[in-house]
Amino acid sequence: MRITRPTLPGRRLTLLGATAAAGLAVTAVALPGAAGAATRHQERPTIVLEHGAFADAASWDGVVKRLQLAGYPVVAAANPLRGPANDAAHLRGVVEHIDGPVVLVGHSYGGTVISQAAAGLEDKVKALVYIAAFLPDSGESSLGLTNKFPGSTLGAAIDSVNYTLPDGSQGADVYIKPDKFHQQFAADVPAGKARLMAAGQRPVAAAALEEKSTQAAWRTIPSWSLVTTGDRNIPVAAQRFMSARAHAHTTEIDASHAVSVSRPDAVTRIVEKAARTVRRPA
């Protein structure tokens, strides 16, 4: 099914401290472990996670927890979801602010963003990891790659909110309809969790899905890809095609598009595989 830009009338949508007392005593037994964790943290690359459309940085929570326990510094960046050029510039600023080597991880449309953001940063970005993601070449768009292969049911599940920009032109934000979200985006996530995700989903600008990429960093930076065979957003055939073209180290998993939520263990494993190839300079 082809996905086309929706033109439905705009409608209003509503998106959905205590301090704990800490013990003051520090025992000698705790110090070696703390020192070891600090050393591992300093030796390992920083993992930067870029979410995609219809999600937010919290979609990485399970992955962040596991990576931090393994001793990696982690940044779950906020993706503006306005378009590849805009979003890549934003992410590039985050990456350039980090000291030391970086592994960039992108989910879904976030793959389009990391592919453009990392271009020219080969001295800093040492690996790219694509999670149920787009790996576009220059001149390709997320929407065009989705429509190139059969299998996506996203077109029938989306709604839009129209808005007026400061210059008077019109824009549209695209959402997944709340009653379609679970099956479309997160079929293997518990229903209660999927309802929370639907309520807090970040919309993507409709124009962002049509904007063509201008850079393809996977051509010069080693890449890994996790292909989700139960995906209803990006056809599995599209994921396989893009991953093979990029010569990415590819793993397949029977999971929905929301694999970072449903299978954070599997996502963490492939991120760590990429990260283990990177070492901070002495």
Side-chain angles (χ1 to χ4, degrees), residues 129-140:
V129 183
Y130 296 89
I131 306 298
F134 292 107
L135 293 77
D137 203 350
S138 297
E140 293 179 336

Side-chain angles (χ1 to χ4, degrees), residues 177-210:
K177 298 173 184 176
D179 62 335
K180 303 285 188 183
F181 190 95
H182 189 192
Q183 288 305 311
Q184 177 62 42
F185 192 86
D188 54 357
V189 173
K193 175 63 175 177
R195 284 194 294 272
L196 293 175
M197 293 169 64
Q201 65 177 294
R202 291 280 308 282
V204 62
L209 302 178
E210 299 175 354

Side-chain angles (χ1 to χ4, degrees), residues 36-113:
T39 300
R40 291 197 306 273
H41 196 275
Q42 293 168 357
E43 292 175 347
R44 296 182 176 183
T46 299
I47 312 298
V48 178
L49 305 166
E50 182 82 337
H51 68 81
F54 318 119
D56 62 13
S59 62
W60 294 113
D61 281 357
V63 178
V64 171
K65 178 180 179 180
R66 287 162 173 78
L67 288 172
Q68 288 179 336
L69 287 173
Y72 289 95
V74 185
V75 176
N79 188 349
L81 302 174
R82 299 298 89 189
N86 176 87
D87 301 339
H90 184 275
L91 180 60
R92 191 181 182 95
V94 173
V95 170
E96 290 177 332
H97 188 70
I98 294 171
D99 180 33
V102 168
V103 173
L104 268 184
V105 184
H107 172 245
S108 190
Y109 165 81
T112 296
V113 179

